[in-house]
């Protein structure tokens, strides 16, 4: 056994491998990276409810928009519902999921809630990246800072049953 250990050590020393420090565990668990980014986003909110934990517990996806209603955060598992990778959604409006058969009335209800900065819960016909439609239940809340300034909208989403 000793000869084997020596032979292995001699072999690996010839490879000139360099050890690098492990700087992140993100490769191991996507939800860990979600938690870090989400914590950064919610740090300025006056409400400290852990919506990411709520989404995970209720098996929902989470999308956060900025004050211009552009997506700034989406859980890494959002592709289960939409077919889009979360990176494809960043900077775009959630209306990217809507299509020609999406109810104009439901769109208007959502638009009114967004304009008035009010929470809402709606079921809407959305479209996946491949064009297939699905019913999506959206529960959304406006988020404000300590001074009452609007910062983000947060939406918990799941396939409507």
């Amino acid at each position: 056994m000793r000869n084997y250990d020596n032979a292995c050590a001699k072999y690996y020393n010839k490879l000139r491998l360099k050890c690098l420090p492990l700087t992140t565990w993100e490769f191991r668990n996507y939800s860990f990276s979600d938690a870090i980014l989400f914590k950064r986003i919610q740090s300025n909110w006056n409400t400290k409810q852990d919506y990411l934990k709520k989404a995970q517990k209720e098996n929902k996806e989470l999308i956060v928009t900025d004050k211009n209603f552009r997506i700034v955060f989406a859980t890494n598992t959002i592709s289960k519902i939409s077919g889009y990778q979360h990176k494809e959604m960043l900077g775009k409006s959630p209306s990217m999921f809507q299509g020609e058969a999406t109810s104009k009335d439901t769109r208007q209800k959502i638009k009114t809630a967004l304009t008035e900065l009010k929470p809402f819960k709606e079921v809407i016909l959305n479209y996946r990246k491949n064009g297939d439609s699905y019913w999506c239940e959206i529960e959304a809340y406006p988020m404000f800072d300590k001074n009452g300034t609007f910062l983000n909208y947060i939406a918990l989403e799941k396939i409507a049953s």
Side-chain angles (χ1 to χ4, degrees):
M1 192 67 158
R2 182 182 230 181
N3 290 338
Y4 176 79
D5 290 341
N6 289 336
C8 285
K10 188 176 182 181
Y11 170 77
Y12 285 111
N13 285 336
K14 287 182 182 178
L15 292 178
R16 297 184 182 162
L17 298 174
K18 292 189 176 189
C19 293
L20 298 174
L22 183 61
T23 59
T24 180
W25 284 95
E26 288 183 30
F27 66 88
R28 186 176 156 270
N29 186 349
Y30 286 116
S31 62
F32 180 73
S33 62
D34 280 352
I36 292 170
L37 181 56
F38 184 74
K39 189 173 184 176
R40 191 177 311 141
I41 290 171
Q42 77 170 5
S43 65
N44 294 320
W45 296 350
N46 65 352
T47 304
K48 296 297 182 201
Q49 181 177 350
D50 193 343
Y51 285 98
L52 188 58
K53 202 173 267 186
K54 179 180 178 177
Q56 290 169 342
K57 182 180 175 184
E58 296 176 8
N59 201 24
K60 294 181 179 180
E61 300 305 320
L62 189 69
I63 294 177
V64 179
T65 62
D66 63 13
K67 61 183 176 184
N68 298 314
F69 306 106
R70 299 288 174 202
I71 299 170
V72 294
F73 174 85
T75 49
N76 282 310
T77 53
I78 193 72
S79 60
K80 288 190 299 186
I81 290 179
S82 69
Y84 291 94
Q85 297 300 315
H86 80 288
K87 291 179 183 176
E88 294 177 277
M89 297 182 296
L90 295 179
K92 296 185 178 146
S93 168
S95 64
M96 69 183 278
F97 304 117
Q98 299 167 8
E100 67 179 67
T102 303
S103 165
K104 289 183 171 88
D105 290 338
T106 305
R107 282 186 196 189
Q108 187 57 48
K109 286 179 190 176
I110 292 172
K111 185 176 182 178
T112 300
L114 294 173
T115 304
E116 296 175 359
L117 301 177
K118 297 202 175 186
F120 67 89
K121 186 172 184 178
E122 293 290 339
V123 175
I124 190 167
L125 184 66
N126 276 350
Y127 289 84
R128 291 184 173 91
K129 184 177 181 179
N130 68 5
D132 291 344
S133 63
Y134 64 99
W135 290 100
C136 183
E137 180 184 285
I138 304 170
E139 180 182 345
Y141 304 94
M143 304 310 290
F144 303 91
D145 68 10
K146 295 172 197 158
N147 300 321
T149 304
F150 171 67
L151 298 175
N152 303 96
Y153 242 99
I154 184 166
L156 297 145
E157 299 187 6
K158 71 175 186 172
I159 299 286
S161 46

